[in-house]
Structures are given as C-alpha cells and as structure tokens.
C-alpha cells in the first residue's frame, strides 16, 4: 500500500492480518470471572492485545498436572498469534515457564511465558541479605522444573493459595463460575503474610499467578514490601515493542 505523493510518499508496510496490537497472549480455557487487573480482562492493559484460547488447556491440567501433552497446542496457538500480527508472546499462567524454551524456539519472536521470569531482575534491586519470595496459586505443584524454566533459584521461598477458601478452588478446581472477590483477595494477602512471617529475609514478592494483580496493592499495603506481578512484567515487555517516541 502506498500513499499519494502529497503525503510525502510514505509507505505503509503490509504482511499481517491485525495491526496495532503487537502483544499476543495465550489463554487457558476457563470460565471463572476475569475481573479488571486479571490478565484475561482486556481493560487491564493500557495498550491493545491479541488473545488466543488454547483449547483443552484447563487451569487444573496446567497447574496440577504439569501441562502434560499440551506443548503442541500452545505452540500452534502461539504461531497463530504471530500470523495474526503479534510481535511477542506471553501466557496467562506462570506455570507455563515449563514451555519457555520450546515456544520461543518455535515462534521466532520474543516470548515471556511466566511472571516468575522477573525474579532475577527484582533480586538485583535488593540490598545484601534480602531475597525475593513467591506467592503462587499452588505451592505444592510449583516444581524445580518450573523455577528452572524461569531462571529462578531453587531455594526461593514460596507459599501457595491452595489452602485458602476461594481463590484456588474457583480458579484451579473450577468448583463454581462465580467468585467472592473479597475472599479471593484475603487468600492472596494471607499467603503473602505467611511468606514474610516464615522468611524475614524476603525483601520483595513476585506473584506467580496472572490472576493475582487485582490483589497486589492490598498485599503491598499489608506487608510493606514491593510486589511484582504479570502486569509489571508485561508493561515492561511491551515497552520494548513500542518505545515511547519523545519529541
């Protein structure tokens, strides 16, 4: 496509199906409410994004069963997003760090599968004697392989929400479609408080679960430490795709 000569002969480059949304998000297949702040709520982002739901990839399969057999489906969905116009790919489950290398190798664009990838960056900001701690949706199934996939030290302290009253049973066990948001927030905050109480050397917290950003402010206010999540990571990630043009 070319412009008339009176527009300085600018050339608009083609080759994509969709423009203006360089970030593609691979979504799990779920029916729980995605409130503002949740990665799967389009209003969360200050920029347009592309979504693709990976059929059959339930939270239970990915979080509790190691995403067994799902890698080809995630790769196909990621390639579809790239064909549509995505210039980078992320996912809506931190447990998909298991697939970081494979998806990146398959699609040929930058890939950030997990909020856990922030841990080394955050650690670099902390004073001596302090370390990063994790709040995860499921501490019992977040394995060394998940941590290694994101470059997280294996001795990183973590606490899960699986013993809470709402967050885990709605998001992972799919016991109901509706969610008590206040109770979900309490589950996340209580997990963070337990993490800090058990590990006084924790100087910052990274939230593994991409459904936790709505509760990050409440947790930060409660524990008085920096809290990072998928929102903080992906806004950074996107900033490289579309750097701000300064006059």
């Amino acid at each position: 496509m070319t412009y008339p000569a009176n527009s300085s002969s600018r050339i608009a480059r083609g080759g994509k199906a969709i423009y203006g949304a360089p970030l593609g998000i691979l979504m799990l297949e779920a029916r729980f409410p995605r409130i503002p702040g949740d990665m799967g709520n389009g209003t969360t982002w200050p920029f347009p994004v592309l979504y693709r739901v990976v059929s059959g990839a339930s939270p239970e399969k990915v979080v509790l069963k190691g995403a067994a057999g799902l890698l080809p489906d995630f790769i196909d969905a990621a390639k579809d997003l790239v064909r549509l116009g995505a210039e980078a790919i992320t996912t809506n489950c931190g447990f998909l760090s298991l697939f970081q290398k494979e998806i990146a190798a398959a699609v040929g664009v930058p890939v950030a599968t997990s909020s856990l990838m922030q841990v080394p960056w955050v650690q670099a900001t902390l004073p001596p004697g302090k370390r990063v701690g994790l709040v995860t949706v499921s501490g019992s199934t977040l394995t060394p392989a998940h941590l290694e996939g994101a470059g997280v030290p294996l001795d990183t302290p973590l606490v899960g929400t699986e013993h809470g009253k709402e967050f885990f049973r709605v998001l992972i066990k799919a016991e109901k479609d509706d969610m008590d948001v206040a109770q979900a927030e309490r589950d996340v905050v209580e997990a963070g408080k337990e993490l800090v109480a058990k590990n006084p050397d924790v100087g910052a917290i990274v939230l593994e679960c991409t459904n936790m950003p709505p509760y990050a402010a409440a947790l930060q206010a409660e524990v008085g430490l920096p809290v990072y999540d998928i929102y903080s990571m992906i806004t950074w990630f996107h900033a490289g795709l579309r750097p701000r043009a300064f006059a």
Side-chain angles (χ1 to χ4, degrees):
M1 178 189 296
T2 58
Y3 287 93
N6 61 6
S7 61
S8 302
S9 299
R10 293 182 299 158
I11 298 175
R13 303 297 180 186
K16 299 179 183 180
I18 297 174
Y19 292 80
L23 181 70
I25 302 177
L26 296 172
M27 296 291 297
L28 303 192
E29 189 172 39
R31 294 183 60 82
F32 58 80
R34 296 189 178 278
I35 64 176
D38 186 295
M39 194 177 195
N41 186 312
T43 66
T44 294
W45 304 106
F47 40 75
V49 299
L50 298 173
Y51 286 111
R52 183 63 74 245
V53 176
V54 180
S55 181
S58 70
E60 185 171 14
K61 287 182 181 178
V62 172
V63 173
L64 303 185
K65 299 179 180 179
L70 291 173
L71 177 58
D73 301 289
F74 277 96
I75 288 176
D76 287 346
K79 288 181 175 179
D80 192 29
L81 282 170
V82 172
R83 283 192 293 268
L84 284 174
E87 299 168 24
I89 299 294
T90 185
T91 85
N92 90 307
C93 183
F95 278 67
L96 290 169
S97 60
L98 288 176
F99 296 162
Q100 171 65 34
K101 292 181 180 180
E102 290 83 355
I103 295 176
V107 298
V109 300
V111 173
T113 54
S114 177
S115 178
L116 296 174
M117 296 172 71
Q118 293 175 101
V119 171
W121 320 341
V122 177
Q123 183 63 54
T125 71
L126 298 180
K130 292 294 183 179
R131 59 177 174 164
V132 178
L134 305 177
V135 172
T136 173
V137 70
S138 178
S140 60
T141 57
L142 189 67
T143 69
H146 292 99
L147 300 180
E148 288 176 345
V152 178
L154 299 186
D155 63 348
T156 299
L158 61 90
V159 171
T161 63
E162 58 263 55
H163 301 300
K165 297 179 179 179
E166 187 78 354
F167 191 77
F168 180 85
R169 71 187 191 94
V170 172
L171 273 66
I172 305 303
K173 301 300 291 184
E175 294 181 6
K176 57 179 182 173
D177 289 349
D178 298 334
M179 182 174 67
D180 181 335
V181 175
Q183 183 58 57
E185 179 177 290
R186 284 192 289 271
D187 289 349
V188 174
V189 170
E190 288 304 312
K193 289 170 61 179
E194 180 182 347
L195 172 71
V196 173
K198 290 182 175 179
N199 303 276
D201 61 341
V202 166
I205 295 173
V206 169
L207 305 180
E208 166 274 319
C209 180
T210 67
N211 313 109
M212 290 181 178
Y215 320 115
L219 176 57
Q220 191 280 327
E222 184 68 33
V223 300
L225 297 173
V227 176
Y228 300 89
D229 54 24
I230 193 65
Y231 183 82
S232 63
M233 189 177 95
I234 294 307
T235 50
W236 169 89
F237 194 39
H238 185 273
L241 303 176
R242 291 293 182 272
R244 178 180 172 185
F246 294 93

